Amino acid sequence: MTGDSSLGGLDRLYPFLAAGAAVDAAAGGHDAAVLADAAWSAGTKAAEIAELRDQVAARYAEPLAACAEAVAGRLADGGRLFTFGNGGSSTDAQDLATAFLHPRYGRPLPALALTTDVAVVTALSNDVGFEVVFARQLAALGRPGDVAVGLSTSGGSANLAAAFEEAGRGGMLTVGLAGHQGGRLAELAAAGLLDHLFVVPSSSVHRIQEAQTTIYHVLWEAVQHVLAVRAGPPGRRLAQGP
């Protein structure tokens, strides 16, 4: 282990903390310096994501509403939602599927994250190739009227592009979340091969993922709102029967 032993391994994980601590330790301000640096870092990051979310809201308020209408229409007609992504985006894909399948309120909707079946993921990756790990699942499980939602911080993931191409051929509604300039997903959208794309304009993976979390939770809430409006007030729903 390197660095100040009083910090343990923190100097390798957070170099800015170690640098500040080394300067102030001699003056007896070690703890104060660490706390001050941590507070500055947290405040800066919070301000960055707040500004980024404002940019995303200004850019995508109307497109998100249109996307929610389209997704709600598919799900109301019996469609299902499939989500996918790599790494941290895989976790977000699972969170999104859970939000639809087991909502805090509103109507439970059929949703599946394509990253949760380890046997399927590893079999496809080992026997065929990681670039088809989502496309093959959509080919097997998807049907016209379903919805495919893929998340990527770069937008350049080859397996997401393949999945969207497969979903499009199968008559599914396609929704992409990307970062930076949109990468390969932006190319698909420009070619008319991706129905809805939301690009977070940032070069920070962390800020992109935080903003994407906001986007897909807003999408979920908007879908619930659309379905509730279409169903009408509770009294009317009871009168219509099952």
Side-chain angles (χ1 to χ4, degrees):
M1 184 176 295
T2 60
D4 186 343
S5 59
S6 65
L7 287 176
L10 286 180
D11 54 338
R12 290 186 296 175
L13 295 175
Y14 304 102
F16 71 93
L17 293 180
V23 171
D24 291 319
H30 177 275
D31 292 340
V34 170
L35 291 175
D37 283 343
W40 172 84
S41 177
T44 299
K45 292 172 182 177
E48 287 175 356
I49 187 56
E51 181 180 355
L52 187 57
R53 283 176 172 140
D54 286 342
Q55 294 177 28
V56 169
R59 177 182 296 186
Y60 290 123
E62 292 186 8
L64 262 173
C67 182
E69 288 277 357
V71 172
R74 296 293 183 105
L75 298 179
D77 290 338
R80 301 159 299 167
L81 182 78
F82 296 97
T83 66
F84 44 92
N86 299 295
S89 297
S90 169
T91 302
D92 287 336
Q94 293 172 32
D95 180 42
L96 175 57
T98 301
F100 275 85
L101 187 63
H102 185 60
R104 300 188 307 275
Y105 61 85
R107 174 178 169 183
L109 298 163
L112 174 68
L114 300 182
T115 58
T116 55
D117 192 326
V118 176
V120 170
V121 170
T122 54
L124 288 171
S125 299
N126 183 65
D127 299 341
V128 186
F130 193 62
E131 68 278 3
V132 301
V133 71
F134 304 133
R136 284 292 186 94
Q137 292 187 73
L138 290 177
L141 301 173
R143 63 194 181 200
D146 288 337
V147 182
V149 182
L151 302 93
S152 170
T153 55
S154 67
S157 302
N159 55 14
L160 262 72
F164 282 130
E165 290 171 356
E166 178 62 40
R169 286 192 295 267
M172 300 176 68
L173 180 73
T174 52
V175 182
L177 278 69
H180 299 277
Q181 300 299 317
R184 196 165 175 181
L185 299 190
E187 296 175 3
L188 290 179
L193 302 176
L194 184 55
D195 297 314
H196 301 273
L197 177 63
F198 304 98
V199 180
V200 178
S202 174
S203 59
S204 167
V205 171
H206 308 294
R207 302 295 85 76
I208 291 170
Q209 288 183 312
E210 290 164 354
Q212 287 183 344
T213 300
T214 299
I215 291 172
Y216 69 70
H217 277 113
V218 169
L219 177 62
W220 169 78
E221 290 192 37
V223 168
Q224 287 288 348
H225 174 74
V226 172
L227 291 175
V229 169
R230 291 185 179 185
R236 176 184 168 189
R237 291 200 294 270
L238 289 173
Q240 289 176 337

